[in-house]
Amino acid sequence: MPDFLNDKKRYYTPVEYVFDKVGGLYKMPILWRLKDKSLRFSELKRSINRASDRMLSKTLKELVADGFVSKEIIPEVPVKTIYTITEKGKRSIAIISTLREYGFELMKEDGIEH
Amino acid sequence: MPDFLNDKKRYYTPVEYVFDKVGGLYKMPILWRLKDKSLRFSELKRSINRASDRMLSKTLKELVADGFVSKEIIPEVPVKTIYTITEKGKRSIAIISTLREYGFELMKEDGIEH
DNA sequence: CGGGATCCGTTGTGATACTG
DNA sequence: CAGTATCACAACGGATCCCG
């Protein structure tokens, strides 16, 4: 008895839906970096250098498909791509910011330095 | 180059830390149900019936170990266990509430009925 | 009643090599 | 430069059975 379906996937809570759309290791880091400026693939790669090319590419593709990010291709040689946050993406920033604050709070509570 | 370490795990962002502590399919649903009343294992099980016994047990154990929930065992026959949210657990409720609201907003934006 | 033990499938992520 | 293809692996979650 699912709460609701979308794109053939089952979700039981709205939080589950959020995690599916902007969860995982790289989606929020990407959105966070795009929040006030557009970036190229290689710039994102340098900024989030722990992500492999494959994961960065895959994650960006999902963000574009879900409407959080738009992609512009400039057909020079070599090719340039520019990723820009959308209005929908901007509406996710508040949540990321809140999660970051809670994360710092939790880390302090747990005695973690950073 | 990790941002920080804890319990031999690597975290690169505070959000990652949050996801590790209260992420996954069942932690937030459990905390949400315990926010204003204590519940027994079987009550949680009935309420979150999509979770298997194993996952419910495993998840509760982690929440107890991380200090979000406390556990009381009443040694009758048969045994009773009572799970109660802690102060630390209560501080997570605001985040869950915010995520729920954003989830509903996102679902509406995506044209999902519920 | 409240789990633990075991086994297994799926998914997320990583490493490397390659290409238009 | 911006990816894709391929292979591999560990973590997460599910199913079933068992037990104090």
Side-chain angles (χ1 to χ4, degrees), chain A residues 32-49:
Chain A
W32 191 251
R33 278 159 182 78
L34 293 179
K35 75 178 156 49
D36 30 38
K37 60 177 178 304
S38 298
L39 291 172
R40 297 176 54 183
F41 187 87
S42 52
E43 293 175 316
L44 282 167
K45 171 70 177 156
R46 258 191 303 280
S47 179
I48 314 175
N49 65 79

Side-chain angles (χ1 to χ4, degrees), chain A residues 1 4 6 12 14-18 49-50 88 91-92 95 98 100 102-104 107 109-110 112, chain B residues 1 4 6 12 14-15 17-18 25 49-50 88 91-92 95 98 100 102-104 107 109-110 112:
Chain A
M1 57 284 264
F4 54 95
N6 189 47
Y12 289 89
V15 175
E16 226 174 280
Y17 192 72
V18 172
N49 65 79
R50 65 187 182 280
K88 182 177 181 180
R91 286 191 285 278
S92 76
I95 281 286
T98 306
R100 278 173 53 88
Y102 178 62
F104 283 126
M107 286 161 58
E109 219 172 324
D110 292 349
I112 302 177
Chain B
M1 56 282 264
F4 54 95
N6 189 48
Y12 290 89
V15 174
Y17 192 71
V18 172
L25 278 180
N49 66 78
R50 64 187 182 280
K88 181 177 182 180
R91 286 192 284 278
S92 76
I95 281 286
T98 306
R100 279 172 53 88
Y102 178 63
F104 282 126
M107 287 161 58
E109 219 171 324
D110 293 349
I112 302 178

Side-chain angles (χ1 to χ4, degrees), chain A residues 6-63:
Chain A
N6 189 47
D7 196 28
K8 296 174 182 174
K9 276 176 285 188
R10 243 159 233 239
Y11 302 97
Y12 289 89
T13 71
V15 175
E16 226 174 280
Y17 192 72
V18 172
F19 282 6
D20 191 48
K21 294 302 177 182
V22 292
L25 279 181
Y26 305 119
K27 284 182 175 177
M28 289 192 182
I30 290 171
L31 290 167
W32 191 251
R33 278 159 182 78
L34 293 179
K35 75 178 156 49
D36 30 38
K37 60 177 178 304
S38 298
L39 291 172
R40 297 176 54 183
F41 187 87
S42 52
E43 293 175 316
L44 282 167
K45 171 70 177 156
R46 258 191 303 280
S47 179
I48 314 175
N49 65 79
R50 65 187 182 280
S52 62
D53 284 1
R54 190 181 86 86
M55 281 313 297
L56 190 56
S57 167
K58 185 173 168 296
T59 306
L60 281 165
K61 189 171 287 185
E62 287 176 27
L63 285 173

